[in-house]
Each structure stands twice: as structure tokens, then as C-alpha cells.
Amino acid sequence: MAQVHFEKIALIGIGLIGSSLARVIRREGLAGHIAIATRSAETLKRAEELGLGDSYTTDNAEAVKGADLVIVSVPVGSSGLVAQEIAGSLKDGAIVSDVGSTKASVIAQMQPEMPANVHFIPGHPIAGTEYSGPDAGFAELFTGRWCILTPLPETNEQAIAKLAAFWEACGSRVDRMDPQHHDLVLAIVSHLPHLIAYNIVGTANDLEQVTKSEVIKYSASGFRDFTRLASSDPTMWRDVCLNNKDAILEMLGRFSEDLASLQRLIRWGDGDALFDLFTRTRAVRRGIIEAGQEVDAPDFGRQSATLSKGGERP
Amino acid sequence: MAQVHFEKIALIGIGLIGSSLARVIRREGLAGHIAIATRSAETLKRAEELGLGDSYTTDNAEAVKGADLVIVSVPVGSSGLVAQEIAGSLKDGAIVSDVGSTKASVIAQMQPEMPANVHFIPGHPIAGTEYSGPDAGFAELFTGRWCILTPLPETNEQAIAKLAAFWEACGSRVDRMDPQHHDLVLAIVSHLPHLIAYNIVGTANDLEQVTKSEVIKYSASGFRDFTRLASSDPTMWRDVCLNNKDAILEMLGRFSEDLASLQRLIRWGDGDALFDLFTRTRAVRRGIIEAGQEVDAPDFGRQSATLSKGGERP
């Protein structure tokens, strides 16, 4: 693994991703100084109580002064505003990156604001949980997960290599991708799953024939899996929807088309076609487990944890 | 907890549910004799290797002879055939139950076959994993989960109480419900989630712009959650679709309607309405965790397990 060290790293935004970065940067000794900035005084106070950084401010411009690495971890709809705020205070030669779930939109918002003497390299670590805020972060969040960098064609290769080495030091594997392709890939692997999850939980909530209490009691039969994604941060996901519209609408269209076809198989009782579909999908999970991106345990390995919390007997 | 003991329990079908029952019956000493029957000689051999019962046969009629409790754990489409096979060999006063995911169809298939001198009480334990077969079972599967009984109006109350006590001794909580209502509730909490999961994994599989390898690599961003349900037993799920058609079509219709509405919000960029939906759904998960039906840990508590398998560092 490449040796990597920055004199000062500025973290703009200290939610799940920002605070996980703060923790792993500290653990791995990747920075001489960690500057933390967030718009909310309350969140900043909490970050300080947790001892996540070396300096704390609600002034984003202040935080980036002298920083050789700046990582913006805010809802993607706020990227442009942050870029405007920090642009005038960036150090000559600084690397500026982000962690946003959409990339074309972030580039469109941030790139025009960036001065010529900094290296702007958009990024997206494929990692997270359904929790948010500075308490939710942990140093191992990025371990074994992919981080996708989507540099613009003219970007300095040394700066890209340095940012890649940083993410590797945080435990990530690093990939490089075209921003448009990133947005399409993420629309299917992340945005559509979240929307489907939000949607089914909404549908269940609105039923008049089945009570909320019944949905909750019997949720272990499948439904509860969806409630995890559907409890993710609403601001983040609103912004994703507004900032990756075309790719999301494309994937939603395909999903709905396939669902209509599945509905027709059920209506006409086509058991063979149903069996074929339900068999085809099994291999995908095996591939994910083999790629080290999923636990190789039944039920996400949650059975034992459930027993200790919810069970009536040990 | 009620004291409960049967001289002989016959388990017809020894997959995930049947073999979990065998294990918990043994652990709790609920039967003097466990008879195991399954159609497949290979599965039967495996059950015997695992020592799950006291006698083993591929002849369902043979297994139920002298049994005071018979539990049928087969794909719901096979319920009628099993009922025909065992009807003539059932002991006077025996309790006959099942574990099928649909109830009206199972009643329609089994009830006409049942002799008047036995107590037929349909049941459904709300428990399972994505794995199947006799190796997949474990004694704790039912702990803290609900088991729904859907007895017919004329059923002997003492027999119902005895079956309820049996499930409680297996670790379950027991509910009673009308079969039609059961099928509607399960359509939303279980059948629809599985179909949605199968469908999205199918959609992702068929994309021409995103490779399978990309879907797998970046699946930790949401998609992998769905692959668990989508790797469930295809025979079981084909049968569920064919045997709870009306309720499933009703729920699919509502889901699709809501999804079309969500798609419209995205197309028109209605951030406020998106934020409202994404906020409303959060409370449901909290309710499920509070009801002891879900682990109170980020990411289903799977992070640590992932690290030990897939991570590049400890």
C-alpha cells in the first residue's frame, strides 16, 4: 500500500461519511491536522465532543485554508454552494474531492467554481449504513468497499494517484469511471433499490385492509429487509433523485416494464416462467458473496443478534 | 409456558422448516418419536445422516401412522397430494397442520381430504432464511417469531390450544387469523417483497449498459439487500405465486400505482414531496425494531461479518 500523508485535511460535512473519514484518517495517521466544518452548530458541537478533528468551524472557507486535501461530504444538492464558499480560500495545488452519490451533477455544480490551481477529482465511496450523523460513522466503513473516482480528462495523474492512495489507506479498493457511466451504474445498484424500498414501505403504510401493527409483527417474512434502505437519510435521497433524474427514470422504466411482465405471468399462472425467473436470480447473490461484498451467512448473519434482542428465550 | 408432549410427531417434508422443527422438537423434548418423510430419497438420506429423527421413510402414509401430530412442510402446491396420501393412515384424534405461506389454497387442497376424526388446523410460522434443505434448518429459527394459525370455524378448541402450545414450546408467539386475511397480510409483508426482489435482480441482470461484474462490485450500495430474498427457493415461490394470485395481484397493483406516482415526482423534480415520502417511511423500521422483529444494529449487524470475510484488512 502506498505511503500517504497530508499536512492538513479539511472535511466539509461531518455526517456518516465525513465522520467515518475523520476516524479512519486518525487511526491510520493520514493527516497532520484534521479540520472539520459543517453548517450546523449542533452537529459541529457533537463532532467536537466526539473528538473527531483538530479544529472545528461552521465556516467552510476557514476550514479549507492551508488544506492539501479537501473532502466535501454533503447532500449532492449542496455541492455547488459549498464549492462557491471554499473556492477563494483553497491552497495552491490542493486536491478537492467529494463523496456524492451522483457525479455528473456534482461536476456541473462544482467544476465551474474551482480555481485553476487546484485538482478537482470527484469521488464516491460505495459504503454506508441506514444511519446518519457524526455518531453513526466508524473507521471500518470503507474496508473492502469500492471507491469510484470520476476525474475529468485533463486532471493531473499524480493528484489522482495520491487521492487513490488515500482511499486505499482508508481500506477501500479504488476504481475509475466516466461520470455518466457512474451515474447509470449507481442508478441500478443503489438509487433504484432505495426508491423501490421507500415505495413498498409507503404502499404498506397506506393499506386500509392490513393494519400497521400487522405489517410490523409479520415483517420478518421479507418486508423488514426493505425498511432498512427506507430509513436512510431523506435529504440525501431527495437530492439523489433530483440530481440523477435521467438515469433513475431510465432504470425505473425498465423495472416497471419487467414488473408488469411478472404480474402477467402470475395472472396467467405461468409456473414454468416464474420458476425460471426465480432460478436465474440466485446466481447473482453467489457472485456478490464470492466478490467479498456480502456476508456468507443466512439472513445477513442477523439471526443471533435478533435472538439476543427480540427473542423470548436465549 | 404450557407443558406439551406428543407421543409421535410426523414431519412430512424436511427442508428448512421441517428440519428446524425436527431440531427444536428434539431439543425441547416435545415428542417421544420423530418420524420423517420426504419424497426425495437423497434428502431423506441427508436427514438421516444429520440424525434429525427416529424413523425415516419416503412413504408419507407410513410416517403418519400412529402420529398424534402431523406437520406438512412442503411447497404449497403439493399440499393436496400429500393430504390424499396421508388421509387413510391418520390416527383417530390426530392433529394435522402445515406451515405453508398461503392458507386459503392449502385449506381448499387439504380440507376435503381430511377424515372427520382428525383435527386439521392450518398454520404458518413467519420465519425462514434464504437457504433451503435439511442442512439449512436450526433449532432457533422460530424463536421470537410469530406463528399464525388459521383454524376453520368448527375446529376443536382443545386441539387448537395444544397446537398453539406446541409452537410456543418451539419458541414462537402464536396468533390466530382468518385464512383470507392471512393471505392478504402475507401478500404485502412477504410475497410482494420477494417478487420485487426477484424482479429488480432480473432487471439488473438484463441490462446492456451495465455489466454483471459492475452490479456485483458495487452491490453494497443497496442492491445486495434484495439478492437475499431473490435467492430463496424457486419452487416454494412459484407455488406461492400460483396459490395466492388474487391478493398478490391486488398488492402488485397498488405498488405499481405508487411507483408511477413516485416516478412522476422525480420527473417533475418535486423535492418536497420526495422528502415527505422518504421521511414517512422511517418510522416503520423503528416500530419493527421495537417489536423485536429486527436487529437494532446498523446494516443488519452484518458489517463485522463482512469485514472478516471480504475485507482486505482486519
Side-chain angles (χ1 to χ4, degrees), chain B residues 203-217:
Chain B
T203 301
N205 237 340
D206 290 345
L207 292 174
E208 62 280 1
Q209 317 106 305
V210 177
T211 67
K212 282 187 184 53
S213 146
E214 287 173 325
V215 168
I216 286 170
K217 277 168 82 174

PDB file of all heavy atoms in Angstrom, chain B residues 203-217:
ATOM      1  N   THR B 203     -34.034  -7.403 -13.527  1.00  0.00           N
ATOM      2  CA  THR B 203     -33.801  -6.181 -14.315  1.00  0.00           C
ATOM      3  C   THR B 203     -32.308  -5.887 -14.418  1.00  0.00           C
ATOM      4  O   THR B 203     -31.792  -5.599 -15.505  1.00  0.00           O
ATOM      5  CB  THR B 203     -34.530  -4.968 -13.658  1.00  0.00           C
ATOM      6  OG1 THR B 203     -35.922  -5.247 -13.576  1.00  0.00           O
ATOM      7  CG2 THR B 203     -34.327  -3.702 -14.466  1.00  0.00           C
ATOM      8  N   ALA B 204     -31.614  -5.959 -13.293  1.00  0.00           N
ATOM      9  CA  ALA B 204     -30.173  -5.665 -13.278  1.00  0.00           C
ATOM     10  C   ALA B 204     -29.404  -6.658 -14.146  1.00  0.00           C
ATOM     11  O   ALA B 204     -28.449  -6.301 -14.837  1.00  0.00           O
ATOM     12  CB  ALA B 204     -29.646  -5.699 -11.846  1.00  0.00           C
ATOM     13  N   ASN B 205     -29.850  -7.898 -14.126  1.00  0.00           N
ATOM     14  CA  ASN B 205     -29.226  -8.964 -14.905  1.00  0.00           C
ATOM     15  C   ASN B 205     -29.327  -8.722 -16.404  1.00  0.00           C
ATOM     16  O   ASN B 205     -28.487  -9.165 -17.174  1.00  0.00           O
ATOM     17  CB  ASN B 205     -29.970 -10.277 -14.596  1.00  0.00           C
ATOM     18  CG  ASN B 205     -29.035 -11.333 -14.073  1.00  0.00           C
ATOM     19  OD1 ASN B 205     -27.822 -11.248 -14.269  1.00  0.00           O
ATOM     20  ND2 ASN B 205     -29.570 -12.323 -13.415  1.00  0.00           N
ATOM     21  N   ASP B 206     -30.379  -8.058 -16.815  1.00  0.00           N
ATOM     22  CA  ASP B 206     -30.684  -7.913 -18.232  1.00  0.00           C
ATOM     23  C   ASP B 206     -30.156  -6.633 -18.857  1.00  0.00           C
ATOM     24  O   ASP B 206     -30.322  -6.417 -20.051  1.00  0.00           O
ATOM     25  CB  ASP B 206     -32.211  -7.945 -18.434  1.00  0.00           C
ATOM     26  CG  ASP B 206     -32.793  -9.326 -18.172  1.00  0.00           C
ATOM     27  OD1 ASP B 206     -31.997 -10.288 -18.115  1.00  0.00           O
ATOM     28  OD2 ASP B 206     -34.014  -9.442 -18.026  1.00  0.00           O
ATOM     29  N   LEU B 207     -29.521  -5.785 -18.048  1.00  0.00           N
ATOM     30  CA  LEU B 207     -29.076  -4.502 -18.591  1.00  0.00           C
ATOM     31  C   LEU B 207     -27.953  -4.686 -19.594  1.00  0.00           C
ATOM     32  O   LEU B 207     -27.047  -5.487 -19.377  1.00  0.00           O
ATOM     33  CB  LEU B 207     -28.576  -3.594 -17.459  1.00  0.00           C
ATOM     34  CG  LEU B 207     -29.626  -3.089 -16.480  1.00  0.00           C
ATOM     35  CD1 LEU B 207     -28.941  -2.329 -15.360  1.00  0.00           C
ATOM     36  CD2 LEU B 207     -30.640  -2.207 -17.182  1.00  0.00           C
ATOM     37  N   GLU B 208     -27.994  -3.917 -20.650  1.00  0.00           N
ATOM     38  CA  GLU B 208     -26.892  -3.999 -21.598  1.00  0.00           C
ATOM     39  C   GLU B 208     -25.847  -2.902 -21.353  1.00  0.00           C
ATOM     40  O   GLU B 208     -24.694  -3.019 -21.734  1.00  0.00           O
ATOM     41  CB  GLU B 208     -27.397  -3.981 -23.045  1.00  0.00           C
ATOM     42  CG  GLU B 208     -28.144  -2.743 -23.493  1.00  0.00           C
ATOM     43  CD  GLU B 208     -29.602  -2.724 -23.049  1.00  0.00           C
ATOM     44  OE1 GLU B 208     -30.061  -3.676 -22.351  1.00  0.00           O
ATOM     45  OE2 GLU B 208     -30.283  -1.759 -23.374  1.00  0.00           O
ATOM     46  N   GLN B 209     -26.241  -1.816 -20.636  1.00  0.00           N
ATOM     47  CA  GLN B 209     -25.285  -0.712 -20.430  1.00  0.00           C
ATOM     48  C   GLN B 209     -24.419  -0.911 -19.188  1.00  0.00           C
ATOM     49  O   GLN B 209     -23.411  -0.254 -19.016  1.00  0.00           O
ATOM     50  CB  GLN B 209     -25.998   0.639 -20.250  1.00  0.00           C
ATOM     51  CG  GLN B 209     -27.147   0.902 -21.188  1.00  0.00           C
ATOM     52  CD  GLN B 209     -28.471   0.766 -20.443  1.00  0.00           C
ATOM     53  OE1 GLN B 209     -28.742  -0.264 -19.825  1.00  0.00           O
ATOM     54  NE2 GLN B 209     -29.291   1.788 -20.509  1.00  0.00           N
ATOM     55  N   VAL B 210     -24.879  -1.784 -18.273  1.00  0.00           N
ATOM     56  CA  VAL B 210     -24.135  -2.002 -17.026  1.00  0.00           C
ATOM     57  C   VAL B 210     -23.798  -3.494 -16.970  1.00  0.00           C
ATOM     58  O   VAL B 210     -24.672  -4.330 -17.129  1.00  0.00           O
ATOM     59  CB  VAL B 210     -24.968  -1.591 -15.799  1.00  0.00           C
ATOM     60  CG1 VAL B 210     -24.225  -1.881 -14.519  1.00  0.00           C
ATOM     61  CG2 VAL B 210     -25.353  -0.115 -15.876  1.00  0.00           C
ATOM     62  N   THR B 211     -22.534  -3.815 -16.729  1.00  0.00           N
ATOM     63  CA  THR B 211     -22.136  -5.223 -16.752  1.00  0.00           C
ATOM     64  C   THR B 211     -22.516  -5.924 -15.447  1.00  0.00           C
ATOM     65  O   THR B 211     -22.696  -5.281 -14.410  1.00  0.00           O
ATOM     66  CB  THR B 211     -20.616  -5.363 -16.935  1.00  0.00           C
ATOM     67  OG1 THR B 211     -19.974  -4.841 -15.763  1.00  0.00           O
ATOM     68  CG2 THR B 211     -20.134  -4.603 -18.162  1.00  0.00           C
ATOM     69  N   LYS B 212     -22.626  -7.251 -15.509  1.00  0.00           N
ATOM     70  CA  LYS B 212     -22.901  -8.046 -14.304  1.00  0.00           C
ATOM     71  C   LYS B 212     -21.812  -7.824 -13.263  1.00  0.00           C
ATOM     72  O   LYS B 212     -22.075  -7.764 -12.072  1.00  0.00           O
ATOM     73  CB  LYS B 212     -22.986  -9.529 -14.663  1.00  0.00           C
ATOM     74  CG  LYS B 212     -24.303  -9.910 -15.303  1.00  0.00           C
ATOM     75  CD  LYS B 212     -24.410 -11.422 -15.476  1.00  0.00           C
ATOM     76  CE  LYS B 212     -25.700 -11.776 -16.200  1.00  0.00           C
ATOM     77  NZ  LYS B 212     -25.891 -11.041 -17.489  1.00  0.00           N
ATOM     78  N   SER B 213     -20.584  -7.698 -13.746  1.00  0.00           N
ATOM     79  CA  SER B 213     -19.462  -7.502 -12.828  1.00  0.00           C
ATOM     80  C   SER B 213     -19.597  -6.179 -12.079  1.00  0.00           C
ATOM     81  O   SER B 213     -19.292  -6.086 -10.885  1.00  0.00           O
ATOM     82  CB  SER B 213     -18.157  -7.570 -13.625  1.00  0.00           C
ATOM     83  OG  SER B 213     -17.201  -6.705 -13.086  1.00  0.00           O
ATOM     84  N   GLU B 214     -20.092  -5.160 -12.745  1.00  0.00           N
ATOM     85  CA  GLU B 214     -20.299  -3.872 -12.068  1.00  0.00           C
ATOM     86  C   GLU B 214     -21.418  -3.970 -11.036  1.00  0.00           C
ATOM     87  O   GLU B 214     -21.318  -3.419  -9.932  1.00  0.00           O
ATOM     88  CB  GLU B 214     -20.625  -2.774 -13.098  1.00  0.00           C
ATOM     89  CG  GLU B 214     -19.397  -2.349 -13.911  1.00  0.00           C
ATOM     90  CD  GLU B 214     -19.733  -1.398 -15.051  1.00  0.00           C
ATOM     91  OE1 GLU B 214     -20.820  -1.520 -15.674  1.00  0.00           O
ATOM     92  OE2 GLU B 214     -18.881  -0.535 -15.348  1.00  0.00           O
ATOM     93  N   VAL B 215     -22.482  -4.661 -11.404  1.00  0.00           N
ATOM     94  CA  VAL B 215     -23.595  -4.843 -10.463  1.00  0.00           C
ATOM     95  C   VAL B 215     -23.090  -5.523  -9.188  1.00  0.00           C
ATOM     96  O   VAL B 215     -23.442  -5.152  -8.071  1.00  0.00           O
ATOM     97  CB  VAL B 215     -24.731  -5.657 -11.118  1.00  0.00           C
ATOM     98  CG1 VAL B 215     -25.757  -6.096 -10.078  1.00  0.00           C
ATOM     99  CG2 VAL B 215     -25.411  -4.841 -12.217  1.00  0.00           C
ATOM    100  N   ILE B 216     -22.240  -6.530  -9.370  1.00  0.00           N
ATOM    101  CA  ILE B 216     -21.715  -7.280  -8.228  1.00  0.00           C
ATOM    102  C   ILE B 216     -20.762  -6.432  -7.391  1.00  0.00           C
ATOM    103  O   ILE B 216     -20.875  -6.357  -6.164  1.00  0.00           O
ATOM    104  CB  ILE B 216     -21.037  -8.581  -8.717  1.00  0.00           C
ATOM    105  CG1 ILE B 216     -22.128  -9.585  -9.141  1.00  0.00           C
ATOM    106  CG2 ILE B 216     -20.118  -9.166  -7.660  1.00  0.00           C
ATOM    107  CD1 ILE B 216     -21.617 -10.804  -9.865  1.00  0.00           C
ATOM    108  N   LYS B 217     -19.827  -5.753  -8.059  1.00  0.00           N
ATOM    109  CA  LYS B 217     -18.812  -4.988  -7.331  1.00  0.00           C
ATOM    110  C   LYS B 217     -19.411  -3.888  -6.466  1.00  0.00           C
ATOM    111  O   LYS B 217     -18.957  -3.635  -5.354  1.00  0.00           O
ATOM    112  CB  LYS B 217     -17.830  -4.336  -8.314  1.00  0.00           C
ATOM    113  CG  LYS B 217     -16.718  -5.258  -8.792  1.00  0.00           C
ATOM    114  CD  LYS B 217     -15.975  -4.660  -9.955  1.00  0.00           C
ATOM    115  CE  LYS B 217     -14.917  -3.661  -9.524  1.00  0.00           C
ATOM    116  NZ  LYS B 217     -14.118  -3.214 -10.708  1.00  0.00           N
TER     117      LYS B 217
END
